Amino acid sequence: MLLGSLFADESRIIYFAPLPMKNEKTNIEEFLPLVDYMQKNLPLTIKFNYHKNYDDILKSFMDGSTDIAYLGPLPYAILKSKYPYAKPIITFNEKDGTTTYRCAISKFSQDVLDLSKPLRVALTQPLSTCGYYATQKLLQKKFGLALKNQKYNYTMSHTNALTGVIREEYMLAGSSEEIAKKYESLGMEIIAKSELFPGFALVVNTKTLSAKEIQEITKTLLNIPKSSYEKWGTLLEYGTRPADTSSYDSLNLKYAIPQKGNI
Amino acid sequence: MKIKIAIAFLFLSLFVFYLFRYIDNAKDQTIQELNEHSLLTVEATYNAVINTYEIAAKKDFNFFMNRSDVLNLLHSFKDAQTPQEQNILRGELYRHLYKDYDVMKKMHVRQFHLHTNDGKSLLRMHLPYENGDSLIDFRPSIRIVNQEHKSVIGFEGGRIFPGYRYVYPIMDKGEYLGSVEFSVAFEGIEEKLNTLLPNYIYQLIISKDESYNKVFSWHRRFFTPSRFGGDYYLENPELSNSTELYLNNELISRLIVLAKSSSNFNFNLAAHKDFSVPIIDADKGYAVNFITIKNTSNKAAGYVVCFSLENEIAQIAANYKKYKIFALLMSIIVFTLFFVIVIQIEKLRRSKNKLKSINHSLSEAQKIAHFGFIEYDHLKDRYYLSEEVYNIFGVNPKYFKPSYQVLLSHVHPDDVKKVHKAYTESIINKTIYITQHRLIQESGEVVFVEEHGNHEFNAEGEIVKSIGSIYDITQQMIAYENLERFIDLQTSIVILTDGIHFSFANKSFYHFFGFEDLAAFKEESLCICDRFIQQNGFFSLADVKEGEVHWIESLLNLSLRQRIVFMFDTTATPHAFGVSINKYDTKSYVVEFNDISDSMIEKLQLEKQLNRDQLTGAYNRTYFETNIEQVLKLNRAKGLKTGIVFFDIDHFKLINDSYGHDMGDEVLISLVKLVKEQIRKYDHLVRWGGEEFIIIARTTSLQSLLQMTQKIRIEIANHKFKAIPNLTCSFGIAIHQEEEPIKLTITRADEKLYEAKESGRNQVK
């Protein structure tokens, strides 16, 4: 207690892992307004802990070198299954005010699928919710096909997956429904949609952060004025809401997701 | 003086200030010329690159126009009835074109964009899902192509990226299908520029209207404000590798700061014309060139900024720095010289004024003292006469043209020879000349002058200059004459002397000593002091003490009562004189000898008896003993010799025996009288004893003494003595030798007398 008082005025350093999908600099710049806000309103010094893929983020989370991470629902679910100290505190609103999204599989409307042969499927990232996980479920549901028996590859982004179909490199693309809809103007059609998944969340490491710190961080992030967050860019510009931990329960992963494609 | 120096310093400061400004302007102009050259090079290269891309774009367009499959799809798209149809056709187009686009991207074609015939985005190959938006209001190039069906080329912002646009109308079978656009990223331009001008660094800055304000709001993050300010933006690293490369470059950052701080930078930036900023940083030179970019509406859209190392700029700056140092040093030297000159002029002016004042004072002093100055330059044959010279000569300076002859013509005719002689001899002998003479003024008045002169000679011994003074001594001469006349009236002996020589004596002097004039006296004595008889209680030369300059000083050192001298008159009568001394001028004294013999008569009588033979009146041996040294000294002083004539009367005993002693005495008296008449006044006749006599004679040689003695012998032999028919004398002569005791000389004369007696008498031996 006495020690805590003595160091009360000193900034505590915590490490934040942003989204792994884009290049480091842009990624950091995208999250910089949020991090600045937290630093101004909390006795914290936040340092970026950038990783190029979800797997690395999860590893750093588990070894205690990451205190907060911006995670999609699937990476969180995988993390939670291996590391009980992960806890989502807030999620970010979509443009329509919801915090959930769907995944979809699309094809070029003029293409005809030959189900007798393995399909060439374009995926995002191994730990992306709309990647192997959702695409496998949708393919099973729509055509009764197992993804593992198809030809698939990771294109590392939703747009790459969709563009790959237009380029005739793949027959199907797994992506978020939102992005798949954008490609309808290019003749793409969504042939299957998933159930609603919880949105991206800030997940805290309860092993490295105290309950009080988590409480303060949560409180601060839920009270960001609209005049601030509406300037923060596409990922953050619609505000925050408390994370519903139970919404992640549906993400029940009983198999290991392949880290590489089979093409 | 201080004001003059302050003005000079102010002048120097202004001069240096404007000189430095001139040098700075010259430096700026030289650097600017160099930069203009650099700017022209970059401009030419940049234009060449843009033209190259234009050719490439044209080639791509031609290729595109040959794709019938694509043209058919475009026809279909134009004719499509539903958006779904259009979507499928868009996808088909993408499928047909993406491989070509992949090739174009390698050529830095950033955007490959198809537009509908009504100015909407048909397909962005670079961002295919962004489509359908109208471009007419944002893209003038597309508006022009759609309206006029002609190609438009130039830089232009867009909804996604800015770039160098090459927009062509797609006409097929006479039908306008829309337009196609190739857009080149600045990276492509930069790469080509780097190939041609490898040592330059390039940056694209785009106006806010052409970048930030034109893109979709969700793409604004692609732009970062430029550090040059002025509402210019950079493509951020997500769009441009070159931005990423130089955004945090320290040198570029410093050059930007320095460029912004240069004069007229904001003005030039706002002017939208090509310009160049020279920079010197850490002894290195740089040029920052700004090449303006016009958009398709020919309005300023931004600049290509080109940073280059230009060491020549630093060299030029260093050279001009040296010029400035040199100019400063020269200015200081000039100022110092100017300062020295001003001081010298001031000193000269003061000296001139002082000299003028001195000259005036001197002129006045000369006027008061009647003292003039004459200078004659022999080489230039030019005279300089002081003002007083004209006064002394009594001539008008205006009309008086001096020359030697003219000056000599004013000299009194009786003095001309003397003056000419003094002058010419002084030149020959190279000595000073001093002369006193008379001048006849133009009015006829005669004035007395004293001249002193000297000459200057060159190394060859030739005379170059004569300098002299002339002093009007008329008043002194008058006073002197008056004094002489006054002194002459005195009964006492009065002389004018400097203690060694004397220049004047009054009549009483000549009367007492029996001389006609001073010259006659000087033949015998140089000084009256030679006549002082050494006697107890009287002053004589023997009383002059060591350290005393002359006898007058010795007398002045005595009390008034002790200033008594003892002298004989022409009859060898002793006189006592009280001496009174008065200063005449700085050198001369008026010395008066008052005869006080009456008050000392007994003493003098005794002295007279002591020195004279009572019978004949000749000097006796006492006189001889007392005065012989004085006589010898006097003769030596005159460079003459002292001769001793020893004589006696032949057979005098017979006279005494024959005529008695009275007759003998009378013969002795007559003989003395006769001999005295034969000898000179400075010779002394001494009765040595009985009938023996000695003559102490002043002579030049033994021969001369012999002649004089023969004459006396003959006179005696021829004389008719009373009652004595024949009387002769025999003579022995001798010359007193240097250092010889006088008694020895007398002995030698006596021996000669003996020889004369032995030889038959009436002879001189």
Side-chain angles (χ1 to χ4, degrees), chain A residues 177-227:
Chain A
E177 182 192 19
E178 184 193 358
I179 299 172
K181 279 185 175 176
K182 288 183 181 178
Y183 277 76
E184 286 176 345
S185 65
L186 288 158
M188 293 290 285
E189 63 175 339
I190 297 170
I191 56 172
K193 294 181 189 175
S194 72
E195 72 273 26
L196 286 170
F197 292 119
F200 279 72
L202 283 184
V203 179
V204 296
N205 192 336
T206 58
K207 196 172 184 181
T208 60
L209 295 172
S210 68
K212 189 178 179 184
E213 285 172 333
I214 292 168
Q215 187 185 350
E216 287 299 314
I217 291 168
T218 307
K219 185 181 171 186
T220 300
L221 292 176
L222 288 174
N223 289 294
I224 302 169
K226 187 184 178 189
S227 57

Side-chain angles (χ1 to χ4, degrees), chain B residues 70-122:
Chain B
V70 174
L71 291 173
N72 289 336
L73 285 170
L74 288 173
H75 278 287
S76 301
F77 189 89
K78 186 180 178 186
D79 299 334
Q81 298 300 310
T82 65
Q84 287 74 22
E85 279 183 68
Q86 288 182 335
N87 289 345
I88 292 166
L89 287 166
R90 188 179 285 115
E92 292 285 354
L93 277 170
Y94 188 88
R95 279 190 168 178
H96 281 79
L97 292 172
Y98 77 86
K99 288 180 182 171
D100 298 323
Y101 178 55
D102 286 347
V103 174
M104 286 181 198
K105 280 198 285 187
K106 290 176 184 171
M107 301 298 291
H108 296 289
V109 173
R110 176 185 276 172
Q111 298 182 25
F112 179 20
H113 192 179
L114 294 169
H115 316 128
T116 63
N117 61 346
D118 56 354
K120 290 179 181 170
S121 173
L122 193 159

Side-chain angles (χ1 to χ4, degrees), chain B residues 250-459:
Chain B
E250 280 186 23
L251 175 63
I252 298 298
S253 301
R254 197 162 64 250
L255 291 179
I256 288 170
V257 170
L258 292 170
K260 282 178 73 177
S261 65
S262 67
S263 60
N264 297 328
F265 176 79
N266 289 331
F267 173 80
N268 287 331
L269 194 69
H272 302 303
K273 288 180 181 173
D274 294 359
F275 68 100
S276 181
V277 181
I279 291 172
I280 296 167
D281 181 45
D283 293 332
K284 286 185 176 175
Y286 302 92
V288 182
N289 295 315
F290 290 78
I291 300 166
T292 188
I293 300 170
K294 301 283 186 186
N295 65 14
T296 49
S297 303
N298 204 30
K299 288 182 179 173
Y303 289 98
V304 170
V305 185
C306 171
F307 303 88
S308 63
L309 180 68
E310 297 286 349
N311 269 334
E312 217 173 321
I313 292 174
Q315 188 59 47
I316 290 167
N319 287 343
Y320 276 93
K321 195 174 179 182
K322 287 176 191 169
Y323 299 156
K324 281 170 87 169
I325 293 169
F326 179 72
L328 180 64
L329 286 174
M330 287 305 293
S331 301
I332 290 170
I333 290 168
V334 168
F335 172 72
T336 307
L337 285 173
F338 181 78
F339 181 72
V340 168
I341 289 168
V342 165
I343 287 175
Q344 291 304 319
I345 288 172
E346 186 63 23
K347 277 185 179 175
L348 202 64
R349 192 181 65 78
R350 285 182 182 174
S351 299
K352 203 172 171 183
N353 287 342
K354 197 173 177 183
L355 192 64
K356 198 173 172 183
S357 172
I358 290 169
N359 278 342
H360 179 71
S361 301
L362 187 65
S363 179
E364 286 300 309
Q366 286 183 0
K367 202 170 181 179
I368 293 164
H370 302 292
F371 180 84
F373 172 77
I374 300 174
E375 184 179 302
Y376 175 56
D377 189 328
H378 289 259
L379 301 178
K380 295 178 181 174
D381 189 23
R382 195 162 64 197
Y383 274 88
Y384 168 74
L385 308 182
S386 71
E387 198 177 324
E388 188 55 19
V389 173
Y390 296 101
N391 292 335
I392 292 170
F393 274 75
V395 292
N396 186 336
K398 205 172 176 182
Y399 307 108
F400 187 73
K401 304 293 176 198
S403 70
Y404 183 71
Q405 292 306 323
V406 169
L407 292 171
L408 209 58
S409 70
H410 281 74
V411 176
H412 192 281
D414 292 348
D415 297 339
V416 169
K417 277 187 182 176
K418 181 171 77 170
V419 172
H420 180 66
K421 187 182 174 190
Y423 182 72
T424 51
E425 282 184 354
S426 70
I427 292 174
I428 293 164
N429 299 328
K430 296 182 179 175
T431 56
I432 61 168
Y433 72 94
I434 301 171
T435 181
Q436 288 184 353
H437 61 87
R438 288 161 289 176
L439 282 177
I440 301 173
Q441 294 185 329
E442 279 196 347
S443 63
E445 191 175 338
V446 175
V447 293
F448 289 88
V449 295
E450 182 171 306
E451 279 193 66
H452 294 248
N454 199 5
H455 310 286
E456 287 180 11
F457 300 87
N458 62 17

Side-chain angles (χ1 to χ4, degrees), chain A residues 22-23 25-26 29-30 108-111 159 163 165-169 182-187 234, chain B residues 86-88 90-92 94-95 98 101-102 105 123 128-129 131 218 221 236-238 244 247-248:
Chain A
K22 297 177 182 176
N23 70 52
K25 198 168 181 182
T26 309
E29 283 176 2
E30 205 153 280
F108 188 64
S109 57
Q110 297 304 98
D111 291 347
T159 55
T163 308
V165 172
I166 305 174
R167 286 172 174 250
E168 296 178 289
E169 294 166 355
K182 288 183 181 178
Y183 277 76
E184 286 176 345
S185 65
L186 288 158
T234 50
Chain B
Q86 288 182 335
N87 289 345
I88 292 166
R90 188 179 285 115
E92 292 285 354
Y94 188 88
R95 279 190 168 178
Y98 77 86
Y101 178 55
D102 286 347
K105 280 198 285 187
L123 174 62
Y129 61 83
N131 53 62
W218 55 91
R221 63 189 170 84
N236 72 16
E238 195 173 346
E244 185 172 18
L247 198 60
N248 297 314

